[in-house]
Amino acid sequence: MHRHGRTYLVQLAIRVFGDEAQATAWLDRPSVQLGGRSPREILAKRGGARRVEELLAQIADDDRLHRGAAPGGR
């Protein structure tokens, strides 16, 4: 069983995206990484919290990697 609940993951999404509106939009948007389901749908499934947390970590890591990149450097 994953130790983080839905509330924790919503707060994590807010930290990753910077505000509640962007986090809510992401939670409700279907994602290719989640097989076309939204993160909120995945949270309702067994093991879903872990998958959503992993995806948020990937997004945060990608943001950190590209934050210092020069314009046009991607």
Side-chain angles (χ1 to χ4, degrees), residues 1-21:
M1 183 87 164
H2 195 65
R3 63 188 172 134
H4 298 307
R6 185 180 293 240
T7 301
Y8 168 82
L9 291 169
V10 170
Q11 292 302 313
L12 180 60
I14 292 169
R15 285 195 307 269
V16 168
F17 289 99
D19 68 51
E20 189 172 352

Side-chain angles (χ1 to χ4, degrees), residues 1-2 6 10 12-13 18 23 26 29 34 37 40 53 56 58 62 66 69 73:
M1 183 87 164
H2 195 65
R6 185 180 293 240
V10 170
L12 180 60
W26 180 81
R29 186 180 314 118
L34 299 174
R37 291 185 172 89
R40 201 175 301 274
E53 185 175 14
L56 283 166
Q58 290 172 355
D62 187 56
H66 292 102

